[in-house]
Amino acid sequence: MSTVTVEAEREHRVTLPSLAQCKRRGHKISMLTAYDFAFARIFDAAGIDVLLVGDSLGNVVQGRETTLPVTLDEAVYHTRLVSRGARRALVVGDMPFGSYQVSSEDAVRSAIRFIKEGGAQAVKLEGGVRVAETIERLVVAEIPVMGHVGLTPQAIHRMGGHRVQGRTSEGRSQVLDDARAVQQAGAFAVVLEGMPADLAHEVTRELSIPTIGIGAGVNCDGQVLVMHDMLGLSEWTPSFVKSYANLGALVSKAARSFSEEVSKGKFPDEEHSYR
Ligand code: KIV
């Protein structure tokens, strides 16, 4: 590939400035989770702006009840796979529980692994006021940070389950304070998860950085979904999820056909055999 082609490709890459510009121009940002090369390549070619290697991998890839057991090694490994499939999209590595809570130094060390080993352009971490100092420290180290406030799955035990946040006036103030703290600390964008649509709208109007909603209504600057949920690969999905395909049924049908043809000696036929 010539240097000119490489440069031209780079110009079209989604970057922090281009996401900021999306907010200014009112262009909505699309983000999907991805955990491997194959899906990253498809989503990237389809024009998805941001690929999030979510710690939801604990649920949808590893089959765990919560995201808490996901390790830093696992998250960095999946980030590396996704980065190989992303030519245009911005890749964000999600910092798993335990990789940034002990100290800011620890957080910087963990985040550097996402950039150096995982090939990510940014990291995401959960929390607002509580993690503002950590975000500041990461930003000083030139590591772009996406915040995540509202329903934060790593706080499942404190929240008593995956509960919508910001429904009381106290909860509403907390979400607003968290979002402000994340922006003030230097995050380039923030995920708003599981909150009333009008609260997400208020946060989006107040912040100058883009907000990416999940279960937070239409008035965010962008939207994110977990790929298994929107593709019909999850056993159960929350009510805010829209199903865009039923891959579960398609894959099941293909596997049944294969099994049947193998048992009847119909596969492989002449066409699929070497001579
Ligand atoms: O881990 C994840 O997939 C996430 C999204 C739900 C935003 O954090």
Side-chain angles (χ1 to χ4, degrees), residues 58-88:
N59 307 118
V60 298
V61 177
Q62 299 177 335
R64 298 179 188 272
E65 290 278 310
T66 73
T67 59
L68 299 178
V70 173
T71 66
L72 180 58
D73 282 345
E74 289 163 351
V76 170
Y77 168 74
H78 283 278
T79 304
R80 193 154 60 235
L81 309 188
V82 169
S83 294
R84 285 189 199 129
R87 293 163 70 92
R88 173 186 170 272

Side-chain angles (χ1 to χ4, degrees), residues 33 52 54-56 94 124 148 191 193 214 224 226:
T33 66
L52 171 67
D55 65 350
S56 50
D94 203 5
K124 176 172 86 58
H148 183 160
V191 169
E193 178 167 358
I214 175 162
V224 56
V226 170

Side-chain angles (χ1 to χ4, degrees), residues 74-108:
E74 289 163 351
V76 170
Y77 168 74
H78 283 278
T79 304
R80 193 154 60 235
L81 309 188
V82 169
S83 294
R84 285 189 199 129
R87 293 163 70 92
R88 173 186 170 272
L90 186 92
V91 176
V92 179
D94 203 5
M95 297 185 70
F97 179 68
S99 70
Y100 61 96
Q101 287 86 352
V102 176
S103 68
S104 295
E105 284 69 29
D106 221 26
V108 173

Side-chain angles (χ1 to χ4, degrees), residues 23-148:
K23 170 137 187 162
R24 284 195 300 275
R25 295 187 173 171
H27 297 167
K28 298 272 189 176
I29 297 162
S30 57
M31 175 159 112
L32 280 177
T33 66
Y35 314 95
D36 65 19
F37 172 75
F39 278 103
R41 202 163 56 88
I42 294 168
F43 295 158
D44 185 81
I48 297 299
D49 298 313
V50 184
L51 297 179
L52 171 67
V53 189
D55 65 350
S56 50
L57 79 89
N59 307 118
V60 298
V61 177
Q62 299 177 335
R64 298 179 188 272
E65 290 278 310
T66 73
T67 59
L68 299 178
V70 173
T71 66
L72 180 58
D73 282 345
E74 289 163 351
V76 170
Y77 168 74
H78 283 278
T79 304
R80 193 154 60 235
L81 309 188
V82 169
S83 294
R84 285 189 199 129
R87 293 163 70 92
R88 173 186 170 272
L90 186 92
V91 176
V92 179
D94 203 5
M95 297 185 70
F97 179 68
S99 70
Y100 61 96
Q101 287 86 352
V102 176
S103 68
S104 295
E105 284 69 29
D106 221 26
V108 173
R109 234 172 265 125
S110 303
I112 284 174
R113 289 197 58 197
F114 280 98
I115 310 289
K116 276 181 104 84
E117 299 172 40
Q121 284 87 49
V123 298
K124 176 172 86 58
L125 52 84
E126 295 182 11
V129 176
R130 290 166 206 253
V131 294
E133 239 181 85
T134 304
I135 296 177
E136 270 176 30
R137 189 65 187 80
L138 290 168
V139 171
V140 166
E142 299 290 12
I143 300 163
V145 179
M146 177 179 279
H148 183 160

Side-chain angles (χ1 to χ4, degrees), residues 125-132 135 147-152 155 158-159 165-166 170-187 189-192 195 199 203 206-207 209:
L125 52 84
E126 295 182 11
V129 176
R130 290 166 206 253
V131 294
I135 296 177
H148 183 160
V149 304
L151 193 169
T152 47
R158 173 175 54 78
M159 295 182 304
Q165 302 294 296
E170 198 185 315
R172 219 179 152 89
S173 303
Q174 185 63 59
V175 169
L176 279 161
D177 286 349
D178 283 337
R180 288 178 190 128
V182 161
Q183 169 168 289
Q184 179 67 27
V190 60
V191 169
L192 306 181
M195 65 183 67
L199 174 57
V203 173
E206 185 176 324
L207 296 195
I209 58 172

Side-chain angles (χ1 to χ4, degrees), residues 56 59-60 151 153 161-164 167 193-195 214-216 224-244:
S56 50
N59 307 118
V60 298
L151 193 169
H162 288 110
R163 298 186 192 291
V164 173
R167 278 191 161 145
E193 178 167 358
M195 65 183 67
I214 175 162
V224 56
L225 284 175
V226 170
M227 59 160 277
H228 288 64
D229 293 348
M230 56 88 75
L231 292 178
L233 290 167
S234 300
E235 271 187 335
W236 173 89
T237 55
S239 62
F240 65 79
V241 172
K242 179 170 172 183
S243 174
Y244 286 85

